[in-house]
Amino acid sequence: MATLEVKDLHVSVQDEEKKQEKEILKGVNLKMSTGEIHAIMGPNGTGKSTLSQTIMGQPSYHVTQGDILLNGESILDMPVDERARKGLFLAMQYPAEIQGVTNAEFLRAAINARRPEDDQISVMDFLKKLDKNLKLLDMSESMTERYLNEGFSGGEKKRNEILQLLMIEPSFALLDEIDSGLDIDALKVVAKGVNSMRGDNFGSLIITHYQRLLNYIVPDTVHVMMDGRIVKTGGPELAKKLEDEGYAGLRDELGLNIKLVDDED
Ligand SMILES: Nc1ncnc2c1ncn2[C@@H]1O[C@H](COP(=O)(O)OP(=O)(O)O)[C@@H](O)[C@H]1O
Ligand SMILES: [Mg+2]
């Protein structure tokens, strides 16, 4: 069993306009183990992507206080690729394009980076695994010979990220708004992929603004984030409640003095 723990995490970014650091995360606590799926919901601009980027080690996010532990070990000093080798995976709201590397080459390198030098995946095993997962995601083989994300449609990028997830088999997947811009059929395929990973060796932190995705990937635990903090934690019913009452309803119920981006002036 692997564990991921975020302890009293404070994170700031450089505010280019004001030429000063701006605190985005103001003390986030979160603990999860493989075998569990946690969802983080919250209004726009509240720090959800900041949390996932910081866990993955994106250098523009500065940790000013607190820690992130993977299996009890602090990962704060590790660069992104080392965190990936240790079993973290981030699927992003806006996936990057990489020129000159085909999808298949990328996948094989990523799988092998997670394995010892003397136990690299064979071409046969790789192709078998690729074929199985392409079928599961209803993806065409031609997708794997294209350069990574180059000219992929929004839906293709999302599907491709789930293909990466299935191929790389991380311990923890951070899935940031993987539902954004997907039609219902694509959403179902994405959910099918994630659900196929469920099990003792896999945990996921699913970040979403809307409850819709959580009808298809039912989380064990739901956290609500507002203004850089987790303000409430519950079961799947918490997501349903938010769908009905909105973030403003929860804010008022908790007596929080927070302005939401969606508030009217
Ligand atoms: N790289 C960055 N540079 C400057 N500001 C940022 C950066 N990333 C996030 N922010 C700011 O941090 C706040 C939280 O953003 P984000 O984490 O993307 O929220 P969410 O994902 O919940 O919508 C926003 O006010 C956003 O403008
Ligand atoms: Mg975001």
Side-chain angles (χ1 to χ4, degrees):
M1 186 188 77
T3 58
L4 176 64
E5 188 173 5
V6 173
K7 281 169 96 168
D8 188 32
L9 191 69
H10 291 248
V11 173
S12 21
V13 294
Q14 179 73 19
D15 187 328
E16 292 302 336
E17 271 169 37
K18 294 185 186 148
K19 300 272 178 247
Q20 62 185 24
E21 289 272 308
K22 172 168 84 162
E23 183 165 69
I24 310 290
L25 298 186
K26 304 169 180 172
V28 173
N29 291 289
L30 183 76
K31 194 172 180 177
M32 62 182 298
S33 305
T34 43
E36 298 170 1
I37 294 198
H38 289 226
I40 295 198
M41 301 183 69
N44 287 321
T46 220
K48 303 184 299 297
S49 295
T50 298
L51 177 63
S52 58
Q53 295 284 353
T54 308
I55 294 175
M56 203 61 214
Q58 215 280 334
S60 24
Y61 297 89
H62 308 137
V63 175
T64 58
Q65 194 179 315
D67 209 345
I68 305 170
L69 308 173
L70 184 61
N71 303 322
E73 178 191 18
S74 176
I75 57 170
L76 286 186
D77 292 334
M78 295 177 192
V80 176
D81 61 325
E82 195 176 348
R83 297 185 198 201
R85 277 199 302 277
K86 295 240 176 215
L88 293 180
F89 175 96
L90 173 62
M92 273 177 295
Q93 214 165 342
Y94 308 103
E97 299 187 0
I98 304 182
Q99 287 182 338
V101 176
T102 68
N103 213 355
E105 285 165 346
F106 172 83
L107 288 171
R108 207 164 147 227
I111 290 172
N112 280 331
R114 290 256 291 137
R115 297 168 68 129
E117 294 239 352
D118 57 2
D119 185 29
Q120 302 276 286
I121 192 167
S122 73
V123 176
M124 271 302 266
D125 287 348
F126 173 75
L127 291 176
K128 245 191 250 166
K129 188 171 182 177
L130 184 60
D131 188 55
K132 185 184 99 187
N133 288 323
L134 284 171
K135 286 208 175 82
L136 182 85
L137 297 177
D138 201 11
M139 281 173 77
S140 132
E141 209 178 306
S142 66
M143 283 287 289
T144 62
E145 289 312 319
R146 287 167 62 181
Y147 291 140
L148 191 57
N149 284 328
E150 216 178 275
F152 285 20
S153 73
E156 282 174 341
K157 280 186 188 175
K158 292 284 154 74
R159 245 175 233 234
N160 198 50
E161 289 212 316
I162 302 305
L163 178 66
Q164 290 173 7
L165 175 72
L166 297 184
M167 293 298 289
I168 297 170
E169 299 185 90
S171 308
F172 292 104
L174 314 168
L175 305 177
D176 190 358
E177 309 263 353
I178 47 163
D179 49 337
S180 72
L182 291 186
D183 62 35
I184 197 75
D185 291 328
L187 181 73
K188 282 183 184 167
V189 171
V190 160
K192 186 167 136 196
V194 176
N195 284 328
S196 79
M197 289 286 296
R198 282 189 110 132
D200 291 347
N201 298 319
F202 176 73
S204 185
L205 193 58
I206 296 182
I207 294 175
T208 180
H209 182 75
Y210 299 105
Q211 195 259 341
R212 185 180 75 152
L213 176 68
L214 305 182
N215 288 329
Y216 297 96
I217 307 172
V218 180
D220 302 294
T221 304
V222 174
H223 309 275
V224 183
M225 194 167 184
M226 281 193 210
D227 193 28
R229 290 188 185 89
I230 287 173
V231 297
K232 197 173 171 80
T233 294
E237 74 290 344
L238 180 54
K240 294 249 159 46
K241 182 175 148 78
L242 277 173
E243 181 87 337
D244 296 340
E245 298 170 20
Y247 291 110
L250 180 66
R251 171 195 59 188
D252 297 343
E253 183 188 310
L254 295 173
L256 298 168
N257 181 19
I258 295 171
K259 186 166 162 42
L260 301 176
V261 177
D262 301 336
D263 277 352
E264 288 180 40
D265 283 308

